[in-house]
Amino acid sequence: DPWCRHDPANLPANSFPFWLYGDDSFAHVEQFFTWSALDRVFRRITIGLGSRQRTYLDGFWSYEEVWPPGQKHPTAISQPPAPAFVGTVSAAFPFNAMLDQALRKLPADVPVVLIAPPVFHTIIPKPGTQAAAERQACNAAYRSIVAGRPHSNFIDYRVDNELTRDPQNFADLIHYRAKIARKLGEGIATSFRLGGAANIDF
């Protein structure tokens, strides 16, 4: 959701590792002395002692191993009714502009696929509400920065459908399981072949 904020100030903690992509060497050094870094040191020690398995070389880890299917899934929550929205929303999204600037540094023929990841249906904004209008404007902003780039696409997976209504497909409200992940992988791969003409089956 920070990607769709109108104000870049007061972001939630750990929303994005800006330091990792910046040019400030001091900011990199600072990260050696954080709780996150100490946690990684502890992990390395336990791996060396043989009490923890190494992570995959590509960094992959599966939610299914941490939260086995059938043992953890979201519970249904209901959104309070919201009045119908008839106004307009701002089309200014600072992080969209930042991403646009970064993508413009890439060669024009580099494919880019952006996705709005799926969430459990109960936290998707209801049609006709201001939250839904904000989401539509945000999607349009991100779709525009890949429009015209070959083999590129913006895919909105944040939809209310059979997949996102099944609690067995999620570990919680935002972490989806393998069945949905495979669908996302198929959609991304198809987009790299066909761009915006891809038929996304989700």
Side-chain angles (χ1 to χ4, degrees), residues 113-121 124 135 139 143 153-165 170 176 179-192 198-202:
V113 175
L114 305 177
I115 70 168
V119 295
F120 194 52
H121 74 100
I124 296 173
R135 176 60 60 180
N139 286 351
R143 186 175 288 109
N153 201 6
F154 171 84
I155 313 172
D156 181 16
Y157 284 115
R158 192 161 294 196
V159 296
D160 183 351
N161 66 6
E162 184 179 350
L163 282 173
T164 60
R165 282 184 167 268
F170 291 85
Y176 46 84
K179 182 177 181 179
I180 286 183
R182 283 192 291 270
K183 287 285 188 181
L184 268 64
E186 292 168 2
I188 292 169
T190 303
S191 294
F192 279 132
N199 181 20
I200 307 302
D201 179 19
F202 183 71

Side-chain angles (χ1 to χ4, degrees), residues 33-161:
F33 304 96
T34 63
W35 287 112
S36 178
L38 291 174
D39 174 66
R40 298 305 190 275
V41 169
F42 177 75
R43 290 188 190 187
R44 296 289 295 182
I45 293 173
T46 54
I47 289 172
L49 293 175
S51 59
R52 180 193 291 262
Q53 289 186 336
R54 289 181 178 272
T55 54
Y56 294 103
L57 293 178
D58 60 4
F60 172 78
W61 66 281
S62 172
Y63 296 140
E64 309 285 31
E65 297 173 2
V66 181
W67 303 311
Q71 295 187 17
K72 182 175 172 60
H73 54 77
T75 55
I77 59 172
S78 58
Q79 296 185 42
F85 180 69
V86 294
T88 58
V89 296
S90 171
F93 300 97
F95 293 108
N96 170 269
M98 292 170 63
L99 181 59
D100 188 23
Q101 290 177 2
L103 294 181
R104 289 178 185 275
K105 298 177 182 178
L106 298 175
D109 60 347
V110 172
V112 175
V113 175
L114 305 177
I115 70 168
V119 295
F120 194 52
H121 74 100
T122 56
I123 60 172
I124 296 173
K126 297 298 182 185
T129 62
Q130 181 173 352
E134 292 276 0
R135 176 60 60 180
Q136 290 174 357
C138 182
N139 286 351
Y142 284 98
R143 186 175 288 109
S144 70
I145 65 176
V146 294
R149 182 178 283 270
H151 301 285
S152 300
N153 201 6
F154 171 84
I155 313 172
D156 181 16
Y157 284 115
R158 192 161 294 196
V159 296
D160 183 351
N161 66 6

